[in-house]
């Protein structure tokens, strides 16, 4: 990595603490990723992105801000990227996936809270995440209770705009959501000084559709037996999607897919069990479950999570004569995401069954971050539905620490033997 200390200092970072974080990451990445055999060459781009995760990309964000642009931090796949991009701002996904930030998070949050929330708050208050430090505005949402209350704390550090999410999907809820999207546009127009037009919105929709299409192409390739790419690598790509430059990312995912299409022609069958993961998101650098599963000689072939299918499935319709039509297309597409924060959430159960079949999964791991109530309560419905379909299921509830890795390994091992 180049010398970025001056830049980090200008972002108000705690350099000493940040050094400690920088010391952990390469080691973790090396042990998790670089030990994999026979990785596609196209993964070199993503290795590079990780090696520069606190460097080059932050430099790009700084340059954007120097030129008068704004940077927005988001925490949920319901926040419409199309609007952010159309108004000339850059959006970065900020969910925390590292144990490193938990200690600081626990200084002001209860310990019995989801690690994703503790980590994101810890990342901000410890001033060790240059993405947080680069944000002009954070965009929260009223999804789960923990996140909802965390915005009040973050607002003491950086201005937060909260999108009021419906909790149900009746037509009156969807209308309300569309109004909320319009309110978001108003706020962003104020912040950026730019105006949303039919043209810039349509261009942005097209650009982001291309990105989602590239990810869909990658996931479709995972449907082959054996899958031409590890679950670990696919997860990494999904995580990087949240903060990389949109065009460059799309181009590199497509390049990788070209390579994988060649690869599948020569792949030899193997006996690896095909596993699907469903549940809570895995924010970077949370690679724990994938690492355990794939080191047991199984392959994760799909993730029904927000760092998986929920992020890229369904494109925003590009049809429509007016800007209002396009906004309504955006509202529609986002309301099609099936998060456990909604009630009822039958669409998610249907998605899980559909993906398990499409990706020919031998079994499903229900991944639940500790203390995430919406997903842990929803487990029952998923369990009942998968039982009817004869799809094996196991529940793994965990946090970001490595303390329970041995125990998870034993349980997954037994599950793999059974399926
Ligand atoms: S659309 S999953 S990104 S809310 S923070 S709900 S793990 S207790 S992240 Fe989410 Fe949007 Fe839904 Fe996806 Fe549970 Fe933790 Fe809450 Fe979480």
């Amino acid at each position: 990595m180049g010398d970025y200390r001056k830049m980090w200092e200008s972002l108000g970072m705690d350099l000493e603490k940040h050094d400690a974080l920088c010391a952990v990451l390469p080691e973790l990445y090396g042990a998790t990723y670089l030990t994999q055999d026979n990785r596609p060459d196209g993964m070199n781009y993503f290795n590079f992105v990780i090696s520069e995760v606190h460097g080059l990309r932050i430099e790009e964000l700084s340059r954007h801000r120097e030129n008068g642009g704004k940077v927005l931090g988001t925490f949920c796949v319901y926040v419409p990227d199309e609007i952010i991009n159309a108004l000339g701002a850059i959006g970065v996904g900020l969910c925390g996936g590292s144990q490193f930030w938990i200690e600081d998070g626990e200084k002001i949050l209860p310990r019995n809270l989801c690690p994703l929330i503790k980590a994101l708050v810890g990342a901000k208050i410890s001033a060790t995440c240059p993405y947080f430090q680069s944000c002009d505005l954070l965009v929260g949402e009223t999804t789960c209770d923990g996140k909802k209350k965390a915005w009040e704390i973050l607002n003491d550090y950086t201005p937060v705009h909260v999108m009021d999410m419906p909790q149900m999907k009746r037509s009156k809820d969807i209308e309300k959501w569309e109004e909320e999207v319009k309110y978001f546009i108003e706020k962003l127009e104020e912040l950026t000084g730019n105006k949303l037009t039919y043209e810039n919105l349509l261009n942005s929709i097209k650009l982001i559709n291309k990105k989602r299409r590239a990810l869909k192409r990658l996931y479709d390739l995972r449907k082959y037996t054996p899958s031409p790419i590890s679950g670990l690598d696919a997860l990494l790509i999904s995580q990087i999607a949240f903060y990389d430059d949109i065009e460059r990312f799309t181009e590199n995912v497509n390049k990788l897919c070209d390579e994988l299409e060649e690869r599948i022609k020569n792949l030899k069958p193997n006996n690896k069990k095909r596993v699907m993961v469903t549940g809570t998101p895995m924010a970077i650098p949370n690679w724990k479950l994938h690492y355990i599963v794939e080191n047991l000689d199984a392959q994760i072939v799909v993730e029904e999570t927000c760092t998986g299918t929920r992020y890229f499935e369904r494109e925003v319709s590009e049809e429509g004569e007016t800007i209002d039509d396009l906004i309504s297309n955006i509202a529609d597409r986002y309301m099609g995401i099936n998060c456990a924060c909604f009630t009822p959430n039958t669409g998610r159960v249907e998605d899980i069954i559909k993906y398990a079949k499409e990706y020919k999964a031998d079994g499903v791991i229900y991944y639940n971050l500790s203390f995430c109530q919406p997903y842990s309560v929803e487990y029952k419905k998923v369990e009942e539905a998968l039982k009817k379909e004869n799809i094996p299921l196991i529940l793994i509830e965990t946090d970001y620490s490595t303390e329970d890795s041995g125990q998870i390994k034993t349980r997954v091992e037994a599950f793999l033997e059974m399926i």
Side-chain angles (χ1 to χ4, degrees), residues 55-320:
L56 269 186
R57 184 63 180 144
I58 301 299
E59 221 169 51
E60 288 177 349
L61 299 182
S62 297
R63 223 171 298 133
H64 174 73
R65 294 176 82 202
E66 276 159 26
N67 294 332
K70 301 291 176 193
V71 175
L72 267 73
T74 60
F75 304 88
C76 178
V77 297
Y78 280 105
V79 175
D81 287 335
E82 289 80 359
I83 309 276
I84 297 175
N85 179 68
L87 286 168
I90 297 181
V92 286
L94 288 182
C95 285
S98 171
Q99 178 68 15
F100 185 85
W101 292 312
I102 297 292
E103 197 186 321
D104 281 298
E106 285 181 350
K107 284 183 187 155
I108 48 172
L109 294 170
R111 299 189 65 155
N112 58 350
L113 187 71
C114 158
L116 191 145
I117 304 172
K118 286 192 283 193
L120 71 86
V121 170
K124 180 63 217 176
I125 67 167
S126 63
T128 51
C129 173
Y131 289 90
F132 261 103
Q133 300 305 104
S134 301
C135 284
D136 300 288
L137 180 74
L138 302 176
V139 188
E141 24 36 69
T142 54
T143 46
C144 67
D145 289 351
K147 274 195 184 175
K148 216 182 299 186
K149 299 307 287 180
W151 312 139
E152 295 166 26
I153 294 171
L154 287 182
N155 197 39
D156 292 339
Y157 297 81
T158 306
V160 182
H161 172 81
V162 181
M163 294 192 80
D164 189 7
M165 303 286 311
Q167 313 279 291
M168 298 177 80
K169 293 180 182 174
R170 301 161 300 188
S171 49
K172 63 175 182 172
D173 300 310
I174 297 175
E175 272 164 38
K176 181 183 157 240
W177 167 238
E178 204 171 311
E179 285 310 307
E180 194 59 25
V181 172
K182 287 185 180 157
Y183 184 54
F184 181 51
I185 294 170
E186 228 179 276
K187 288 283 146 192
L188 270 200
E189 285 183 334
E190 258 169 47
L191 178 79
T192 59
N194 297 330
K195 188 101 193 97
L196 195 74
T197 64
Y198 178 83
E199 284 72 29
N200 63 23
L201 186 54
L202 184 62
N203 285 338
S204 178
I205 289 174
K206 286 184 177 167
L207 181 76
I208 292 170
N209 277 345
K210 276 191 198 148
K211 174 178 171 177
R212 299 196 204 283
R213 212 170 299 148
L215 282 165
K216 171 90 173 109
R217 185 178 167 207
L218 173 70
Y219 270 60
D220 279 345
L221 284 161
R222 299 173 78 189
K223 292 177 182 167
Y224 283 88
T225 309
S227 164
I229 184 165
S230 68
L232 267 168
D233 280 338
L235 172 65
L236 180 73
I237 294 167
S238 293
Q239 291 170 333
I240 288 176
F242 284 83
Y243 65 88
D244 199 9
D245 174 79
I246 301 172
E247 273 178 73
R248 187 175 57 212
F249 173 84
T250 307
E251 192 189 315
N252 279 286
V253 174
N254 277 321
K255 251 195 226 158
L256 171 72
C257 290
D258 294 342
E259 184 187 347
L260 297 181
E261 275 169 6
E262 283 307 306
R263 246 187 191 225
I264 49 177
K265 294 179 188 160
N266 303 312
L267 279 178
K268 305 229 169 13
N270 63 29
N271 293 325
K272 287 189 179 184
K273 293 280 167 59
R274 297 172 64 85
V275 175
M276 166 172 168
V277 170
T278 178
T280 48
M282 295 169 173
I284 201 164
N286 178 9
W287 304 308
K288 180 171 156 180
L289 181 71
H290 281 56
Y291 178 77
I292 294 173
V293 173
E294 297 206 324
N295 276 284
L296 286 169
D297 220 27
Q299 199 171 30
I300 294 181
V301 291
V302 57
E303 297 83 10
E304 188 280 321
T305 64
C306 289
T307 39
T309 53
R310 275 182 240 139
Y311 180 73
F312 65 78
E313 284 286 10
R314 288 176 304 274
E315 294 181 10
V316 175
S317 164
E318 296 168 12
E319 305 291 313

